[in-house]
């Protein structure tokens, strides 16, 4: 039986995998979902800012809520992390791209977009690192078995 070694205690490999999978799918997924919901709900609730920015936020927020909802419900893959990360990057640059097109972008919308974009990019990177660590631990555990 392969074990995951830490300086505190040995944890069975299956339990370590379940823990990493739970953090990956549930904890990070909930943070992503909250950011997506804020992106989708906040502009509609406040009716604040330019319509171009509101439409952008609503569309990206709705897409992300669907992708992240599936991630939480069915478990995720690296593909959902890539989609979330790319959407986060878009939210980071969209206020500036929309601003270059002579579309009015309110400062409140700009702050929301950048904050949510940063959260989405960081959580998708963390999620990809967890997948990588889990894959390495699983491969190392498989090598230890006769």
């Amino acid at each position: 039986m392969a074990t995951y070694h830490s300086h505190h205690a040995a944890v069975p490999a299956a339990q370590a995998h379940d823990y990493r999978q739970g953090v990956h799918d549930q904890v990070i997924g909930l943070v992503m979902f909250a950011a997506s919901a804020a992106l989708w709900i906040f502009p509609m609730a406040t009716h604040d800012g330019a319509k171009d920015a509101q439409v952008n936020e609503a569309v990206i927020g709705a897409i992300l809520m669907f992708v992240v909802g599936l991630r939480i419900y069915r478990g995720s893959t690296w593909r959902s992390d890539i989609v979330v990360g790319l959407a986060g990057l878009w939210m980071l640059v969209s206020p500036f791209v929309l601003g270059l097109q002579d579309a009015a972008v309110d400062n409140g919308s700009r702050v929301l977009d950048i904050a949510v974009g940063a959260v989405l990019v960081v959580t998708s990177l963390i999620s990809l690192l967890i997948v990588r660590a889990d894959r390495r631990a699983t491969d190392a555990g498989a090598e230890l078995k006769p």
Side-chain angles (χ1 to χ4, degrees):
M1 176 177 178
T3 58
Y4 174 78
H5 297 285
S6 75
H7 63 288
H8 295 290
V11 176
Q15 187 178 0
H17 169 74
D18 291 343
Y19 175 76
R20 285 188 297 271
Q21 197 67 37
V23 168
H24 181 260
D25 291 346
Q26 302 299 316
V27 176
I28 293 184
L30 287 174
V31 172
M32 290 176 174
F33 192 80
S36 304
L39 189 63
W40 188 64
I41 294 169
F42 183 77
M44 289 191 300
T46 62
H47 294 288
D48 202 17
K51 293 298 176 204
D52 294 337
Q54 286 182 4
V55 169
N56 179 52
E57 292 160 347
V59 169
I60 298 299
I63 290 169
L64 284 173
M65 286 181 67
F66 177 75
V67 169
V68 175
L70 278 177
R71 169 196 173 94
I72 293 169
Y73 179 69
R74 294 165 74 181
S76 91
T77 65
W78 61 270
R79 289 179 194 97
S80 66
D81 294 334
I82 297 296
V83 170
V84 171
L86 290 174
L89 286 174
W90 169 248
M91 293 315 301
L92 285 171
V93 301
S94 67
F96 307 104
V97 172
L98 293 175
L100 291 175
Q101 297 175 356
D102 293 328
V105 178
D106 184 71
N107 279 340
S109 294
R110 183 173 293 135
V111 170
L112 175 70
D113 292 352
I114 292 171
V116 168
V119 166
L120 293 172
V121 168
V122 168
T123 53
S124 66
L125 289 174
I126 291 170
S127 183
L128 286 169
L129 289 172
I130 291 171
V131 168
R132 182 177 175 206
D134 189 50
R135 195 171 291 150
R136 283 186 172 184
T138 302
D139 291 345
E143 290 175 6
L144 295 176
K145 290 184 181 179

